[in-house]
């Protein structure tokens, strides 16, 4: 069944979901919960995402996992590729690591696997977004038109601050990026202040439950209604809860359609049709 609100049906995509192989899924999920001091709603298995997401009415899922060691990059990308083949509603982002030696070779492998961009989590991977070491990667991703989904923001640390991302975009303005968590988890005001670049998208994951309605709307207006994507941060939050929080913002139907699916479809070159059935 589709997502329905006040008698209106919507296509909807989850633009921020983490999945893990079965042998490490419980441990990896628990580690994320411990890092943020939060209880997780699900175990991060692909089949759980597919089942619970469909039950909530979601049509597509942007899936990813994070490489905390450079040796994990290729194996994670193989796993994401397999998951996308098994679950047709999935679009995959590749893993990356600052210590990748063969930049062009690894990017070619990532694209050959059908992966649609890259996920980085500077806090888990312990590197600064604006580390000069990362600039060749950002330039190569921009040249290939590969979007980069950044975990952005954490007031406890400085690796992923919105200001650091803004410095990158000053140097690589063609980089297409998704600054997760409305531009900066727990640093929403800073994100609105410094992220003003035209290639910045944001997602709503791990934000709507922490912000007032007024603050959330201020962030959406700042980034532009055409550059906001709905996301759940699976397995952290339940899709139903995140959808209810989104609809609670009281946005107009055309904006709902754009944030729930239209912006996602445009960014990733989809035809706008559901993969249901």
């Amino acid at each position: 069944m589709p997502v329905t609100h006040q008698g209106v049906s919507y296509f909807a995509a989850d633009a921020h979901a983490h999945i893990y192989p079965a042998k490490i899924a419980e441990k990896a999920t628990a580690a994320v919960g411990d890092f943020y001091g939060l209880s997780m709603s699900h175990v991060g298995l692909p089949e759980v995402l597919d089942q619970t997401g469909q039950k909530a009415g979601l049509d597509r899922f942007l899936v990813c996992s994070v490489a905390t060691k450079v040796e994990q990059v290729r194996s994670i990308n193989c796993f994401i590729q397999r998951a996308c083949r098994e679950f047709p509603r999935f679009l995959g982002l590749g893993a990356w690591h600052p210590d990748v030696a063969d930049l062009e070779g690894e990017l070619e492998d990532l694209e050959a696997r059908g992966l649609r961009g890259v996920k980085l989590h500077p806090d888990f991977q312990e590197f600064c977004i604006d580390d000069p070491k990362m600039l060749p990667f950002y330039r190569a991703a921009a040249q290939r038109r590969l979007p980069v989904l950044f975990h952005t923001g954490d007031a406890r640390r400085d690796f992923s601050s919105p200001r650091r991302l803004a410095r990158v975009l000053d140097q690589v303005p063609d980089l297409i990026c998704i600054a997760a968590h409305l531009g900066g988890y727990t640093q929403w005001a800073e994100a609105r202040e410094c992220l003003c670049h035209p290639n910045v998208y944001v997602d709503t994951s791990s934000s709507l439950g922490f912000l007032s309605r007024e603050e959330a709307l201020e962030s959406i207006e700042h980034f532009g209604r055409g550059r906001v994507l709905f996301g759940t941060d699976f397995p952290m939050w339940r899709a139903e809860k995140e959808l209810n929080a989104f609809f609670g913002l009281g946005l107009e139907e055309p904006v709902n359609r754009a944030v729930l699916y239209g912006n996602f479809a445009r960014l990733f070159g989809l035809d706008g049709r559901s993969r249901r059935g």
Side-chain angles (χ1 to χ4, degrees), residues 56-204:
L58 298 176
D59 295 283
R60 301 300 294 261
F61 306 87
L62 189 64
V63 298
C64 61
S65 195
V66 175
T68 55
K69 299 178 182 178
V70 68
E71 304 84 37
Q72 298 171 339
V73 169
R74 187 65 64 92
S75 63
I76 289 175
N77 291 345
C78 290
F79 162 68
I80 297 292
Q81 178 189 25
R82 290 194 302 270
C84 291
R85 287 176 174 172
E86 183 174 358
F87 299 96
R89 292 174 177 81
F90 289 6
L91 272 69
L93 296 181
W96 196 263
H97 192 276
D99 293 335
V100 167
D102 182 5
L103 188 152
E104 291 297 334
E106 205 63 55
L107 283 173
E108 287 176 9
D109 179 81
L110 184 151
E111 289 188 297
R113 296 181 186 281
L115 304 181
R116 309 296 292 272
V118 172
K119 170 63 189 287
L120 293 172
H121 197 310
D123 294 342
F124 285 176
Q125 297 175 289
E126 297 191 332
F127 75 93
C128 293
I129 284 181
D130 58 348
D131 187 332
K133 179 179 181 179
M134 291 295 293
L135 287 175
F137 164 71
Y138 297 142
R139 292 188 177 112
Q143 185 175 18
R144 292 169 181 262
R145 305 295 292 173
L146 285 172
V148 179
L149 170 58
F150 292 90
H151 167 89
T152 316
D154 191 330
R156 303 171 302 170
R157 296 183 158 208
D158 189 40
F159 293 115
S160 64
S161 73
R163 292 190 185 280
R164 290 193 181 277
L165 180 56
R167 291 185 196 121
V168 168
L169 292 167
D170 287 341
Q171 298 175 79
V172 191
D174 292 337
L175 179 66
I176 301 168
C177 75
I178 305 169
H181 320 310
L182 283 178
Y185 173 71
T186 70
Q187 294 182 297
W188 293 287
E190 179 180 315
R192 292 191 297 269
E193 179 184 344
C194 67
L195 289 177
C196 304
H197 301 74
N199 283 331
V200 175
Y201 289 77
V202 295
D203 68 44
T204 65

Side-chain angles (χ1 to χ4, degrees), residues 34-55:
D34 290 344
F35 185 85
Y36 289 107
L38 297 168
S39 59
M40 307 295 278
S41 292
H42 300 291
V43 175
L45 290 164
E47 57 268 30
V48 175
L49 172 63
D50 191 57
Q51 292 165 5
T52 59
Q54 285 190 66
K55 183 178 179 181

Side-chain angles (χ1 to χ4, degrees), residues 190-229:
E190 179 180 315
R192 292 191 297 269
E193 179 184 344
C194 67
L195 289 177
C196 304
H197 301 74
N199 283 331
V200 175
Y201 289 77
V202 295
D203 68 44
T204 65
S205 69
S206 291
S207 296
L208 300 181
F210 300 97
L211 291 169
S212 68
R213 176 178 180 271
E214 291 72 24
E215 289 174 306
L217 291 174
E218 185 178 357
S219 290
I220 290 171
E221 288 302 314
H222 169 78
F223 290 105
R225 299 176 179 191
R227 290 186 288 155
V228 181
L229 314 172

